[in-house]
Amino acid sequence: MPWYRYQAVNENGKKVKGRMQAPDERNLHAGLLEKGNYLIRAKQEEERRGKRPLKLGELAEFSRGLGTLLQAGIPLAKVLDILSQEEGLKPGMKNMYQAMGNLLCQGISLSEAMEQQGRMFPVMMIYMFRASEVSGSLGKTALELGEYYSREHKLDSQIRGALIYPKILAALLVVVTSLLIGFVLPQFEPLFSLLEELPLPTRILYGVTGFLVEQWHLCIVMAAAVWMGGRMFWKAPGIRLWLDKKKIVFPIYGKLQKTIYTARFSRTLSSLYAAGIPIASSLEISRKTIGNAYIEKQFDRVISMVENGSDLSAALDQADGFLKKLIFAIRVGEETGSLDTMLLSMADSLEYDAGQVLGRMVSCLEPVMILVMAVVVGFVMIAVMMPIYQSYQAIEMVSSVSGRGLGG
């Protein structure tokens, strides 16, 4: 149940301010009247700590459980009570189920109860449940959303899984380089001190390691500054827009991003349109699930064109960032009256394509990482071996000169 900051007037005409919990503003007004206060204005507080958006896996689990129990004929309030007693459920999820169950007992609909949980549930899910409450198909919609979020979770897991091997190689590179610099190089310092001049690679290596050892506190400050600066740089609207635009033009990676964006948009729009939500509202919700600010910004024009009577295919053809096959599929769906089916089929096909492109990208990334590792480790080895080789040459020259002197 949300909290409100309010300003009211009491029976003596004096203004009072305070904070109160209520299901909505109407109930807040009624609660203040019982105390003899008349509401002037109220503002719902921002979400408190601990209420984070649910992850894709959690959304899929919630939707599947809800749909399965509703299809079995169990009342909605009882369904939430059963879900809250599931073994191994996190405390935050348990509290959320109980809070929603209490709101349902007060006569509030499921979609409104979900909305009052703050950012825990995505807008798309709330809208679809609201539409299904009117049509009486809440259980079916919940099962469809369970399938939708399961696919999204699977695609997200594929992307994360594909990056595990490059991350392992990067960590191995850091470990190997640290061992060579921290343990191997110091063993040869007595030998290197006998040389008049060290080779350039060795001087560079000593310069870098000396700076890291002597100025370690400065390195930490610089790393923290770079990390904070990078976060601020990424959050700047203009910079994020530029970076998101560049994402879709990079070789291989750009094709992967376009495929993922198109699949995500197709599945979301299909689900919303099939639930009976108007196309303009469906587009407004779908744009927020794409995950690319550059593409999302173009939807202002797309929605305006659709509201003015343009076909969806013609409007989306003006947006940059989607694969062209999406436009063809929507055009066919519009002509045949099966837009939701065509979008769903397109999403299935593109998710398979995304897996293939992801595999090719990882195949290209692996040799690049190995090459970088070879270059770095090779440079350290050259920096260590060159002075050793020079010292052996010097010893041989001294030995040969001494031998000739004795022979004379």
Side-chain angles (χ1 to χ4, degrees), residues 351-364:
E351 284 172 2
Y352 173 80
D353 292 344
Q356 299 298 309
V357 176
L358 189 61
R360 289 197 295 270
M361 187 183 74
V362 173
S363 299
C364 295

Side-chain angles (χ1 to χ4, degrees), residues 10 89 152 208 285 340 372 397:
N10 61 19
L89 194 66
E152 285 287 301
V208 172
I285 299 169
D340 54 338
V372 171
M397 290 178 61

Side-chain angles (χ1 to χ4, degrees), residues 42 44 244:
Q44 185 174 335
D244 281 354

Side-chain angles (χ1 to χ4, degrees), residues 138-358:
L138 186 58
K140 179 184 175 184
T141 300
L143 289 175
E144 290 174 352
L145 281 171
E147 181 66 21
Y148 169 85
Y149 285 113
S150 293
R151 289 179 176 272
E152 285 287 301
H153 181 57
K154 181 180 178 181
L155 181 60
D156 186 65
S157 298
Q158 285 179 337
I159 296 173
R160 293 177 182 274
L163 296 177
I164 289 177
Y165 184 64
K167 288 179 180 179
I168 291 175
L169 287 179
L172 187 60
L173 173 62
V174 173
V175 170
V176 171
T177 305
S178 301
L179 288 174
L180 288 173
I181 293 176
F183 295 97
V184 177
L185 191 61
Q187 304 298 321
F188 292 95
E189 284 186 0
L191 178 61
F192 295 166
S193 62
L194 300 176
L195 298 176
E196 294 182 0
E197 184 178 5
L198 293 174
L200 178 61
T202 311
R203 295 201 303 271
I204 294 174
L205 186 61
Y206 267 119
V208 172
T209 53
F211 178 79
L212 293 175
V213 171
E214 296 172 8
Q215 305 292 336
W216 59 269
H217 53 285
L218 181 60
C219 294
I220 294 175
V221 172
M222 290 173 60
V226 169
W227 181 74
M228 294 178 63
R231 291 195 64 180
M232 294 175 61
F233 179 83
W234 172 254
K235 287 183 178 180
I239 298 299
R240 185 183 175 190
L241 195 68
W242 181 81
L243 289 173
D244 281 354
K245 183 177 180 179
K246 293 301 179 183
K247 277 184 182 180
I248 60 177
V249 299
F250 289 144
I252 303 178
Y253 179 74
K255 176 68 178 297
L256 173 64
Q257 291 297 307
K258 276 190 173 184
T259 305
I260 292 173
Y261 295 148
T262 308
R264 187 176 293 157
F265 171 76
S266 299
R267 189 170 297 282
T268 306
L269 184 61
S270 172
S271 300
L272 292 168
Y273 185 74
I277 298 174
I279 189 65
S281 300
S282 298
L283 289 171
E284 184 64 44
I285 299 169
S286 299
R287 74 188 291 185
K288 298 175 183 178
T289 66
I290 295 171
N292 185 290
Y294 171 67
I295 301 176
E296 292 170 11
K297 185 179 177 65
Q298 300 175 68
F299 267 73
D300 292 334
R301 181 182 180 186
V302 171
I303 295 173
S304 177
M305 290 178 65
V306 170
E307 289 177 338
N308 291 326
S310 295
D311 292 336
L312 177 60
S313 56
L316 283 174
D317 197 25
Q318 305 300 315
D320 179 31
F322 292 130
L323 298 177
K324 290 300 180 183
K325 62 172 69 176
L326 172 66
I327 310 302
F328 175 76
I330 291 177
R331 188 172 292 123
V332 172
E334 289 172 331
E335 293 174 355
T336 59
S338 57
L339 180 58
D340 54 338
T341 305
M342 288 299 300
L343 286 169
L344 191 59
S345 175
M346 174 62 62
D348 291 338
S349 173
L350 289 176
E351 284 172 2
Y352 173 80
D353 292 344
Q356 299 298 309
V357 176
L358 189 61

Side-chain angles (χ1 to χ4, degrees), residues 68-79:
T68 302
L69 294 172
L70 285 176
Q71 293 289 71
I74 301 175
L76 182 56
K78 182 63 176 177
V79 168

Side-chain angles (χ1 to χ4, degrees), residues 113-159:
M114 293 167 62
E115 199 168 24
Q116 291 189 24
Q117 304 310 307
R119 298 183 302 122
M120 295 189 76
F121 293 99
V123 175
M124 187 195 84
M125 176 180 278
I126 295 173
Y127 269 77
M128 287 191 64
F129 278 154
R130 185 168 296 159
S132 65
E133 286 168 344
V134 175
S135 62
S137 57
L138 186 58
K140 179 184 175 184
T141 300
L143 289 175
E144 290 174 352
L145 281 171
E147 181 66 21
Y148 169 85
Y149 285 113
S150 293
R151 289 179 176 272
E152 285 287 301
H153 181 57
K154 181 180 178 181
L155 181 60
D156 186 65
S157 298
Q158 285 179 337
I159 296 173

